[in-house]
Amino acid sequence: MRKLVITILFLTTFTILFGQTSLSFQHLGNATFQNNMINPALIPEGRFFIGLPVISGIHVNVNNKVSYNEAFTKYSDRVEIDVPKIVGNLQNQNMLSTKVQVNLLHFGYRLNSGPLLSFVVNERVEGDFLYPKEMVEYIFTEGNFNFLNDDVKISKIGFRASHFREYGLGIAAPVNDQLTVGLRGKFLVGFANASVPGGAKVVLNSDGEVFQIDAEWKNASMRTSGFDIYQKENGYDDSDLQSHLIMNGNTGFALDIGGTYKLNRYYELQGSIVDIGFISWKENIRNHAVADTSFRYNGVNLAELENIRQTMEDSLFSKFETTENTNPYKGWLPVTAHGSWIYHYSPQTDFYVTVGSRMVQRQFKMLYGAGVTQKFGRAFTASASVTKLPQQFFNVGAAFAAKGGPVQMYMAVDQIINFSVPDSKAIDVRFGMNFAFGQRRAKEEASGLSRSPISGAKGLDTNVFLGKKVKTKKRDGIYSIIKRQKRRELKNKRTQRDNDVKKKSLTGRSGKKNTDNE
């Protein structure tokens, strides 16, 4: 039981230190290969893509209801945790959430016919802890004084923390000029997991006259996998840990789906659902469960305080009937969904409105956002977004992707205005470097107006119109706006023949007239 408590505290602390993703990076559209991991229907610019271990992508996301300054009070000679201040900043239902993802490898190749084939490997560490405000009030404040003669119902408690790796094989294919669909199947390998299944409930009642507590517990359990291997206990050593982190029996599958649909040249819809899947945890299982129990706690006898530990075990811990087993269990991934409405103001400027949801322990956590994305030629794309995260106020974020030759650098950060680490409750950071080779074929190459720039030409974008170089004023969807051209004389064989006949006729008449005059 002691190890179980230490495990819970460790994972909870880890979760506090490190969420649902913000939108500044997502609004870059298809600017990077990593955007395809958010929506598998997005096809990045290029023909061949490579991502090297670690440097190709690191993503850290944090979402906490309480900041450092809201949890601690600093005095002249010390810093103390401030429980009343913590309670005052909580809402009825709260969440500590984290996500750390490292891109270990990715490849992508776009076929001549249009579809993109991709392979990705990601290392992921995720954690979520859901808890009600009443639980904190009862445990850390003067619980049975503040809630005398009242029932305190503590429910909607959930906890999960996992370390796993995903291997994904995907395809994104244009169905027609309007619709593109994407699909990615993922093979999952789990390394460590701790979870409290949803549905745990506790009802407490403090009697104000005799100061006793009536308690009722239901569905209280804790499931763990892999922790003995990490701690090298119960016969496990370094070689076991190394082989465990390469491949083991904790396996599962997941699915990502996405799509984009162009309503017309101005409006587009995008949507995706990712992480539809599970991991079957089978190795190094240690499950702890508390049987459904109702009991009355009358406190401890002050005359027996010499052996407080034994006294507590006899008076309180003995009320709980705990069991331990090694039964395998299945853990589902939190499913994440996003939907965006896009207004293509011009070929360089897009406006986004996005709604997202992440299902954690059977609870939906929503986010909302809007932003603008600007392209500066083919080498640089930037976006700015305003996002409303779960349990947070609106925050402003920004992202960019810059390319020089085959090398692409990208970065996205939210909470960029008045950011302060001690006051921060949520943050989302991504950065990395990719390699992209080749260019997509322009559909307009066969049309009268070529959109391909001419070597050595100057201007916003120089194109060819009827065989002559022209300067493009701006783009509007598939159209290029150019300056008004001078009227050109039509020349063809029939017109030339008619002109020649007319000229000969006039010459003949003139010669005859001159002869008559003689």
Side-chain angles (χ1 to χ4, degrees):
M1 192 69 179
R2 177 175 172 270
K3 289 184 178 180
L4 175 61
V5 174
I6 293 175
T7 300
I8 295 174
L9 291 176
F10 169 78
L11 291 172
T12 303
T13 303
F14 176 81
T15 306
I16 295 174
L17 291 176
F18 280 99
Q20 187 158 343
T21 301
S22 294
L23 301 175
S24 57
F25 182 78
Q26 183 174 336
H27 288 172
L28 287 177
N30 67 337
T32 74
F33 186 89
Q34 280 71 19
N35 289 95
N36 176 265
M37 300 181 193
I38 300 174
N39 184 340
L42 295 177
I43 302 177
E45 294 289 341
R47 179 57 60 91
F48 184 61
F49 311 91
I50 299 177
L52 300 180
V54 182
I55 65 171
S56 60
I58 296 177
H59 177 208
V60 178
N61 181 271
V62 184
N63 191 337
N64 188 14
K65 181 56 183 171
V66 181
S67 68
Y68 176 86
N69 282 340
E70 291 174 347
F72 296 89
T73 297
K74 184 177 181 180
Y75 298 95
S76 59
D77 57 342
R78 68 190 187 281
V79 176
E80 291 185 356
I81 187 168
D82 195 331
V83 175
K85 192 160 62 171
I86 293 175
V87 172
N89 284 284
L90 294 178
Q91 56 189 27
N92 290 335
Q93 190 67 26
N94 304 275
M95 173 179 67
L96 302 173
S97 187
T98 180
K99 178 177 181 180
V100 179
Q101 179 171 309
V102 178
N103 185 211
L104 298 181
L105 188 69
H106 74 247
F107 293 104
Y109 181 73
R110 188 171 188 192
L111 305 176
N112 291 334
S113 56
L116 170 73
L117 304 179
S118 62
F119 174 74
V120 299
V121 182
N122 293 316
E123 197 83 1
R124 296 172 59 175
V125 178
E126 300 178 357
D128 298 284
F129 178 37
L130 308 178
Y131 62 96
K133 180 179 180 179
E134 283 188 339
M135 183 183 76
V136 179
E137 287 182 303
Y138 197 90
I139 295 175
F140 294 104
T141 63
E142 300 171 350
N144 50 343
F145 286 100
N146 292 341
F147 298 96
L148 290 177
N149 302 315
D150 287 335
D151 284 341
V152 179
K153 297 180 180 180
I154 302 175
S155 60
K156 294 185 178 180
I157 304 172
F159 175 79
R160 60 168 292 275
S162 298
H163 173 202
F164 64 97
R165 185 178 301 138
E166 62 180 12
Y167 302 85
L169 188 62
I171 181 172
V175 178
N176 51 45
D177 291 339
Q178 292 180 290
L179 177 65
T180 300
V181 296
L183 181 69
R184 178 166 41 248
K186 299 189 290 190
F187 175 70
L188 310 177
V189 180
F191 304 121
N193 173 263
S195 61
V196 175
K201 296 181 180 180
V202 180
V203 179
L204 303 172
N205 182 279
S206 299
D207 192 308
E209 294 184 4
V210 295
F211 293 98
Q212 64 186 18
I213 300 175
D214 293 319
E216 181 180 356
W217 296 71
K218 289 184 178 181
N219 304 321
S221 63
M222 179 76 170
R223 308 177 302 187
T224 65
S225 172
F227 285 93
D228 285 346
I229 299 176
Y230 274 74
Q231 298 172 1
K232 302 173 189 176
E233 294 182 351
N234 297 326
Y236 293 103
D237 55 23
D238 289 332
S239 61
D240 295 317
L241 179 60
Q242 291 174 6
S243 61
H244 182 75
L245 293 177
I246 295 174
M247 181 60 69
N248 60 68
N250 300 325
T251 59
F253 300 92
L255 190 68
D256 298 344
I257 58 176
T260 68
Y261 186 77
K262 297 179 180 179
L263 300 173
N264 51 47
R265 63 176 180 168
Y266 292 111
Y267 301 108
E268 181 177 349
L269 299 177
Q270 294 184 359
S272 66
I273 305 176
V274 301
D275 290 338
I276 310 171
F278 63 89
I279 297 177
S280 295
W281 299 95
K282 303 175 182 178
E283 294 196 359
N284 189 212
I285 303 297
R286 300 189 68 175
N287 300 327
H288 306 267
V290 178
D292 292 353
T293 305
S294 296
F295 65 90
R296 174 169 292 175
Y297 178 61
N298 297 305
V300 298
N301 189 340
L302 296 179
E304 301 176 355
L305 288 180
E306 293 181 0
N307 191 351
I308 185 64
R309 178 176 178 180
Q310 187 63 43
T311 302
M312 290 293 293
E313 289 183 357
D314 294 340
S315 63
L316 179 60
F317 295 153
S318 61
K319 306 291 185 181
F320 298 96
E321 181 182 346
T322 61
T323 59
E324 182 175 334
N325 63 67
T326 58
N327 298 331
Y329 61 92
K330 182 181 294 184
W332 290 86
L333 302 182
V335 178
T336 302
H338 288 99
S340 295
W341 173 86
I342 307 171
Y343 171 54
H344 298 295
Y345 176 76
S346 73
Q348 289 79 32
T349 307
D350 295 327
F351 292 94
Y352 284 78
V353 175
T354 300
V355 177
S357 178
R358 184 168 179 261
M359 188 171 68
V360 183
Q361 298 282 351
R362 303 176 185 176
Q363 299 183 37
F364 287 97
K365 302 299 180 181
M366 304 296 296
L367 95 166
Y368 311 90
V372 59
T373 301
Q374 181 69 35
K375 297 179 180 179
F376 301 89
R378 294 183 176 180
F380 191 84
T381 303
S383 73
S385 300
V386 177
T387 307
K388 173 65 175 70
L389 289 170
Q391 71 182 11
Q392 306 294 341
F393 192 68
F394 289 95
N395 75 82
V396 178
F400 76 87
K403 186 178 180 182
V407 180
Q408 182 188 61
M409 306 285 291
Y410 69 88
M411 185 174 186
V413 180
D414 287 280
Q415 294 280 15
I416 61 174
I417 296 180
N418 297 325
F419 176 74
S420 169
V421 173
D423 294 319
S424 178
K425 299 180 182 180
I427 189 172
D428 188 89
V429 180
R430 297 175 186 256
F431 58 91
M433 180 176 69
N434 298 320
F435 296 90
F437 303 90
Q439 294 292 335
R440 293 170 58 184
R441 292 182 178 177
K443 294 182 179 181
E444 297 82 9
E445 286 179 353
S447 66
L449 179 61
S450 170
R451 298 178 66 129
S452 302
I454 299 174
S455 178
K458 298 180 180 180
L460 173 68
D461 233 340
T462 304
N463 300 276
V464 175
F465 180 72
L466 296 179
K468 295 186 66 176
K469 299 178 182 179
V470 292
K471 182 179 178 181
T472 300
K473 297 172 64 177
K474 69 174 184 177
R475 302 287 192 189
D476 187 2
I478 63 173
Y479 302 100
S480 294
I481 310 302
I482 64 176
K483 291 182 178 181
R484 183 181 182 88
Q485 303 295 301
K486 294 181 180 179
R487 184 182 296 275
R488 300 184 184 185
E489 184 179 356
L490 296 176
K491 294 183 180 181
N492 54 47
K493 292 182 179 180
R494 183 174 180 179
T495 303
Q496 186 66 36
R497 184 170 61 251
D498 292 343
N499 290 339
D500 291 342
V501 171
K502 186 176 180 179
K503 184 175 181 181
K504 288 181 181 180
S505 176
L506 291 175
T507 304
R509 291 178 182 178
S510 176
K512 183 178 180 181
K513 188 177 294 184
N514 292 336
T515 303
D516 294 340
N517 291 335
E518 290 178 356

